[in-house]
Amino acid sequence: MTISEKLHAVGRPLLEAQLAHPTVAGIGRGDLPEPVFRSWLEQDYLYLLDYVRVFAKLAWQAPDAHVGDLVDLAHSTYHEELDLHRSLSAEFGADLEGAVKGPACVAYTDFLLESAGSYGEGLAALYPCMWGYSTLGRILAENPPAEPRYRAWVDTYADPGFASLAERIAQMIDETDVDPDRAEAMFTEGMAHELAFWDVP
């Protein structure tokens, strides 16, 4: 079993907990109260800005074969994923520029930025976001919400292109010399932050 396969096995129960979370379930049904999603948009916007910084920090340390992937991931996160937040912000009245990080966002981004000091551990720490959202999107797309704004969110993360990015991170983890136990510890902690992040302030 590869390291990434082990992470998937460890992560599945934690992913089920996300699917059962009221925020995720509300997005899936299309009836999440707007103030909750507005708050999530603002927090995730701030999170993703630091996520781009994590990719950049890892790219500086990366082997040659991984540099382009990390630069591409930073670019797609900044220009594509954040564009979704910008487009939805007006529809939900989100104040992206005036938003302030809540405790869950601070804890998660601090964890990622610190973890990125070690290449393999940093990849394992950020993988819950890529793998988790790709998997959530795919599952929710099996019975997508009729509400068009929430459908746009689901479609973004169900996109095969996003799944390919997540798969590439898994390959990169397997190509590093990271200690498997440390990778599992970082991944598990990242999954815990993912679940806590749905408790939007």
Side-chain angles (χ1 to χ4, degrees):
M1 181 180 287
T2 65
I3 293 175
S4 64
E5 289 171 343
K6 178 65 181 299
L7 299 184
H8 295 161
V10 169
R12 292 202 182 280
L14 303 171
L15 191 72
E16 291 296 327
Q18 290 190 56
L19 279 168
H21 192 284
T23 302
V24 179
I27 292 172
R29 292 189 306 268
D31 62 3
L32 183 69
E34 289 196 10
V36 177
F37 194 72
R38 178 166 59 246
S39 181
W40 179 87
L41 274 175
E42 292 170 351
Q43 292 301 301
D44 203 53
Y45 181 82
L46 297 173
Y47 165 86
L48 287 171
L49 289 173
D50 277 341
Y51 204 53
V52 172
R53 293 182 174 97
V54 170
F55 284 131
K57 190 172 181 179
L58 290 173
W60 184 81
Q61 308 169 62
D64 291 349
H66 293 180
V67 172
D69 297 287
L70 291 163
V71 171
D72 288 347
L73 283 162
H75 184 275
S76 65
T77 300
Y78 190 84
H79 290 286
E80 296 171 17
E81 197 168 355
L82 282 173
D83 275 353
L84 171 71
H85 292 60
R86 295 182 186 108
S87 66
L88 289 174
S89 65
E91 298 183 42
F92 284 92
D95 180 11
L96 300 183
E97 301 306 322
V100 177
K101 287 182 181 179
C105 187
V106 171
Y108 197 178
T109 54
D110 283 356
F111 163 70
L112 288 174
L113 289 164
E114 182 177 353
S115 300
S118 169
Y119 184 66
E121 292 184 12
L123 287 177
L126 68 80
Y127 188 50
C129 184
M130 298 287 297
W131 176 73
Y133 274 64
S134 174
T135 309
L136 289 174
R138 176 178 53 78
I139 292 171
L140 293 177
E142 293 172 1
N143 184 25
E147 209 283 342
R149 297 171 301 174
Y150 292 125
R151 176 64 182 265
W153 187 95
V154 170
D155 287 347
T156 294
Y157 294 108
D159 187 276
F162 190 79
S164 295
L165 296 177
E167 289 166 8
R168 179 56 184 147
I169 291 290
Q171 293 171 352
M172 290 162 64
I173 292 170
D174 292 334
E175 290 167 2
T176 68
D177 59 358
V178 64
D179 178 83
D181 290 338
R182 286 297 299 158
E184 182 177 338
M186 302 306 282
F187 176 82
T188 302
E189 187 169 349
M191 288 295 291
H193 282 294
E194 282 289 313
L195 181 59
F197 201 89
W198 293 114
D199 292 327
V200 291

